[in-house]
C-alpha cells in the first residue's frame, strides 16, 4: 500500500480548519462526496414526508388531511425535491467519491469549483422548502411547471424558479468537473475502454447535463419574464403558446430522465460482476448502449405530449423513436443477466439491491414501452398508470441502485462493513412495500384515476388504501438505512479490509478502508 | 495535478461555452417552434382559411351557429350583433360583432377564437375575421367588425350546433401594430 499512499500523508495533514469550517471550506473530493450524500438523504426524507402526506390524504376518498391547494403544492414539491434535491445530488455524491478513486486520480479536476457546486445546493433547497411559508404557498403547477399555470401562481413560483436556476448551475459545474476529471486525469494505462462502467455512464450523463440543464434554465427564465417583465412566450393573449413550454421543458425533461438512470446503470454494472465473480458480460456493448440511450433521448421528448394535438406523423415518429430506446436498454438488462449466468453468485446486501433493481426496473421499463404507444398513452395520460411507471423506474431504478451502491462502497467510505442483517431487512422491506405501494397504481390508472387530484371516486378506494399502507411501510423502511449508515460512520461493526468483497475489481479496492483523506497522490500504473 | 492544469482549463472553457450555447439554444427553440408551426400549418389561429374548394351548398342540412363574446381584463364592451344563425354547410355567411372602448384612452386588443364542440374547429373556415389582426380602439370608439365563414360540408353529421366564442385580450405592452400576425414572444424583442 505504501506505493499507493505516500507515508508522509499518514503522518501530517495540511493545516486544515477543524469543525464546521472544515466542511465549508473543503476541496477534498471525499468530503464533498460525503456532503452530497448526506444532503441528498435529508432531501430524500423531506420529499418522503411530502409523499406520505399525499398518501395519507389518498388513504380514503374525500378530503381528510389537507386541502386541495396544499395537496397540489405537495405533489409539485415532492417531485421537485426528489428529482433535483435527492436523486441527482446523490449520484453526484457517488461520482465525487468514486470517480477519482476508480480512475486513479488524486482529486477532481477543479477542487474549488467542486466545493462551490455543493454549497450552492443548500441555499437552493432552502428557497424550495421555504416557499411553503410565503403567501400563496409553494408552487402548485406540478414538477413540470407547465404554463399557463406557472405563469399565474404566487411568489412561491418565483422561489422555485430561482431554486431551479441555482441547482441547474450546481449540476452544470459538477458535470463539467466530472467530464474534465474523466477525460484528463486518468491514471497512465487506463484507456477509455478499460474504464470502470460507472465512470463511463457518468461521463455520458455529464454531457447530457451540460446539454440540457441550460435549456431548463432558459425555460424557467422565460416563465419568469412572462410573469414579471411583460413578455409573452407562453401567454396566449400576447401571442405566445403554452404548448411551446411543454416542448422546451421536455427537450430538457427526457434527457433528464436518463440523467437520473444512467449512473444507476453504472453502479449496477459494477456490483453484478463483483458478486457473480465473473467479468461484466459485453463491456463494449454496455458503453455503446449507454451512448445510444443518451443520443436517442434527444429525439423522443414529445412522447410526453401525445395529447396536445400533434399531427399523426409526429405521434408516429415519437412513438417509434421511443420504442427504439428499448433496444439498448434491453442490451443492458441482457448483459446483466448474462453476467449472472453461471456465476458464483452470492447475495450480500449490495447484490440483493442490484438484483432487485434489475427485476423492478425492467417492469418499469415495460410499462414505459406501453406508455410509448400513442393510442394507449392517450388513454393513460395523466393517470396513476403513469405515476406507477415512473416510480418503478425512479424509485426501484435510481433509488435502489443508489442503495446498492451505498452498501457496496460503505466499507470503503467508512472502513466498517454495513450490517448484513439490517441491510437484508432494509432490502426486503423496501421491495415488498414498494410493490404494495406502486403495483396497485397500475390498476388505478387503467381504471381511469387521474393523478394530482386529492379526491377520487369510490371505486378506487381499496387500491388506494393498499397503496397508502405500502407507502407508510416503504417510508418507515428507509429509516433502517439511517441505522446502517450511522453504525458505519461511528465504527460499530466488523472492520472492512481494503477489498471487502472478494469478487470486486477496480482501483478503489487497492487503497485501504476507510479510504485515506489523500489517495493516488502519485498515479498508480496499470498493467 | 499541475501537469493537467492547462488541459483542464482548456476543456473547462469549451464545456462552459457549450453550456452557454445550450442556454441560448433554449431561446432559439422559440422562433424555431414558430417556424415549424407555420410551415406545417399547425396552430394557425390568426391566418385566414383558404376558401372551401367544394362550393357545393348542402341544402339538405341545417347547422345552428351560436356566437359568444368575452373580454379578459379589458375595458371594452364586446357583443355579437346576432345571437345565432341557421346556415347550410358550404354557404358563405357574413356576421358582425360590435366592440366599444369605454375608457378614455386608446387600447389595443387581440381576439382569440375557440369552438364548441372542439371538433368543429377544423370544419369552421373563417375567410375574414377581426381576430386575424390586433384591434386598436381610440378612447370611446365603437366599431363593427365582420366575420365571414363557411362551414365545411364535411362536418360530421352528429354536429348540429357550433358555438363560436371570442375572447378579447389586452395586448401586453399596449403597442399597436398594423401587422396581421402577432409573433410569439414579440414583446421580448
Amino acid at each position: 500500500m505504501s506505493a499507493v499512499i505516500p507515508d508522509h500523508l499518514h503522518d501530517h495533514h495540511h493545516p486544515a480548519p477543524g469543525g464546521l469550517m472544515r466542511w465549508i471550506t473543503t476541496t477534498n473530493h471525499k468530503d464533498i462526496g460525503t456532503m452530497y450524500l448526506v444532503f441528498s438523504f435529508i432531501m430524500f426524507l423531506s420529499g418522503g414526508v411530502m409523499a406520505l402526506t399525499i398518501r395519507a390524504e389518498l388513504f380514503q376518498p374525500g378530503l381528510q388531511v389537507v386541502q386541495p391547494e396544499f395537496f397540489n403544492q405537495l405533489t409539485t414539491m415532492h417531485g421537485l425535491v426528489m428529482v433535483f434535491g435527492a436523486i441527482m445530488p446523490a449520484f453526484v455524491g457517488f461520482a465525487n467519491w468514486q470517480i477519482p478513486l476508480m480512475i486513479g486520480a488524486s482529486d477532481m479536476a477543479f477542487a474549488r469549483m467542486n466545493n462551490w457546486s455543493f454549497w450552492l445546493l443548500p441555499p437552493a433547497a432552502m428557497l424550495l422548502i421555504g416557499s411553503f411559508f410565503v403567501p400563496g404557498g409553494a408552487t402548485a403547477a406540478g414538477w413540470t411547471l407547465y404554463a399557463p399555470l406557472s405563469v399565474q401562481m404566487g411568489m412561491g413560483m418565483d422561489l422555485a424558479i430561482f431554486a431551479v436556476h441555482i441547482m441547474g448551475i450546481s449540476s452544470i459545474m459538477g458535470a463539467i468537473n466530472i467530464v474534465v476529471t474523466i477525460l484528463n486525469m486518468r491514471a497512465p494505462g487506463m484507456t477509455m475502454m478499460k474504464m470502470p462502467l460507472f465512470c463511463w455512464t457518468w461521463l455520458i450523463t455529464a454531457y447530457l447535463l451540460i446539454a440540457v440543464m441550460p435549456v431548463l434554465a432558459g425555460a424557467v427564465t422565460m416563465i419568469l419574464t412572462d410573469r414579471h417583465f411583460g413578455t409573452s412566450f407562453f401567454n396566449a393573449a400576447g401571442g405566445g403558446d403554452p404548448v411551446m413550454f411543454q416542448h422546451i421543458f421536455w427537450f430538457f425533461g427526457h434527457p433528464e430522465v436518463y440523467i437520473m438512470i444512467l449512473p444507476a446503470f453504472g453502479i449496477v454494472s459494477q456490483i453484478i460482476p463483483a458478486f457473480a465473480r465473473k467479468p461484466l458480460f459485453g463491456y463494449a456493448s454496455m458503453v455503446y448502449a449507454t451512448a445510444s440511450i443518451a443520443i436517442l433521448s434527444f429525439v423522443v421528448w414529445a412522447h410526453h405530449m401525445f395529447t396536445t394535438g400533434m399531427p399523426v406523423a409526429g405521434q408516429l415518429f415519437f412513438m417509434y423513436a421511443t420504442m427504439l430506446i428499448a433496444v439498448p436498454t434491453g442490451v443492458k438488462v441482457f448483459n446483466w443477466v448474462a453476467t449472472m449466468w453461471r456465476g458464483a453468485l452470492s447475495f450480500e446486501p449490495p447484490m440483493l439491491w442490484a438484483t432487485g433493481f434489475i427485476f423492478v426496473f425492467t417492469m418499469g421499463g415495460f410499462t414505459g414501452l406501453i406508455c410509448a404507444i400513442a393510442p394507449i398513452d392517450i388513454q393513460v395520460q395523466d393517470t396513476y398508470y403513469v405515476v406507477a411507471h415512473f416510480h418503478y423506474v425512479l424509485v426501484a431504478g435510481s433509488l435502489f441502485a443508489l442503495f446498492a451502491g451505498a452498501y457496496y462502497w460503505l466499507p470503503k467510505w467508512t472502513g466498517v462493513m454495513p450490517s448484513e442483517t439490517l441491510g437484508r431487512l432494509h432490502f426486503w422491506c423496501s421491495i415488498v412495500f414498494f410493490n404494495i405501494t406502486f403495483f396497485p397504481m397500475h390498476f388505478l390508472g387503467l381504471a381511469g384515476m387521474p393523478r394530482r387530484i386529492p379526491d377520487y371516486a369510490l371505486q378506487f378506494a381499496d387500491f388506494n388504501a393498499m397503496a397508502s399502507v405500502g407507502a407508510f411501510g416503504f417510508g418507515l423502511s428507509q429509516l433502517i438505512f439511517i441505522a446502517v449508515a450511522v453504525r458505519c460512520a461511528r465504527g460499530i461493526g466488523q472492520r472492512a479490509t481494503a477489498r471487502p468483497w472478494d469478487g470486486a475489481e477496480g482501483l478503489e479496492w487497492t487503497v485501504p478502508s476507510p479510504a485515506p483523506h489523500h489517495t493516488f497522490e502519485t498515479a498508480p500504473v496499470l498493467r | 495535478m499541475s501537469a493537467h492544469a492547462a488541459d483542464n482549463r482548456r476543456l473547462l472553457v469549451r464545456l462552459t461555452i457549450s453550456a452557454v450555447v445550450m442556454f441560448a439554444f433554449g431561446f432559439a427553440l422559440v422562433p424555431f417552434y414558430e417556424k415549424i408551426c407555420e410551415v406545417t400549418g399547425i396552430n394557425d389561429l390568426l391566418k385566414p382559411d383558404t376558401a372551401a374548394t367544394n362550393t357545393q351548398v348542402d341544402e339538405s342540412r341545417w347547422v345552428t351557429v351560436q356566437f359568444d363574446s368575452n373580454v379578459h381584463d379589458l375595458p371594452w364592451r364586446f357583443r355579437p350583433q346576432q345571437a345565432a344563425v341557421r346556415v347550410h354547410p358550404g354557404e358563405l355567411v357574413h356576421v358582425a360583432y360590435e366592440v366599444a372602448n369605454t375608457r378614455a384612452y386608446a387600447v389595443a386588443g387581440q381576439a382569440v377564437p375557440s369552438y364548441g364542440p372542439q371538433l368543429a374547429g377544423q370544419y369552421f373556415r373563417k375567410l375574414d375575421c377581426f381576430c386575424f389582426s390586433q384591434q386598436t380602439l381610440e378612447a370611446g370608439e365603437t366599431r363593427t367588425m365582420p366575420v365571414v365563414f363557411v362551414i365545411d360540408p364535411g362536418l360530421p353529421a352528429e354536429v348540429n350546433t357550433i358555438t363560436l366564442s371570442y375572447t378579447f385580450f389586452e395586448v401586453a405592452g399596449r403597442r399597436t401594430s398594423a401587422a396581421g400576425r402577432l409573433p410569439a414572444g414579440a414583446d421580448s424583442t
Side-chain angles (χ1 to χ4, degrees), chain A residues 5 10 28-30 97-98 101 409-416 497-498 508 511-520:
Chain A
I5 316 296
H10 290 296
N28 181 282
H29 72 102
K30 300 182 184 79
W97 252 104
Q98 290 307 128
L101 284 179
W409 284 307
L410 263 173
K412 183 56 62 189
W413 299 340
T414 62
V416 177
T497 57
E508 76 261 41
V511 303
S513 299
H517 206 57
H518 297 282
T519 41
F520 299 127

Side-chain angles (χ1 to χ4, degrees), chain A residues 482-524:
Chain A
I482 299 182
V484 173
V486 167
R487 281 167 60 99
C488 283
R490 301 187 63 185
I492 305 167
Q494 187 198 336
R495 300 279 127 198
T497 57
R499 194 159 75 107
W501 316 109
D502 59 350
E505 302 282 349
L507 282 178
E508 76 261 41
W509 308 111
T510 62
V511 303
S513 299
H517 206 57
H518 297 282
T519 41
F520 299 127
E521 289 282 296
T522 47

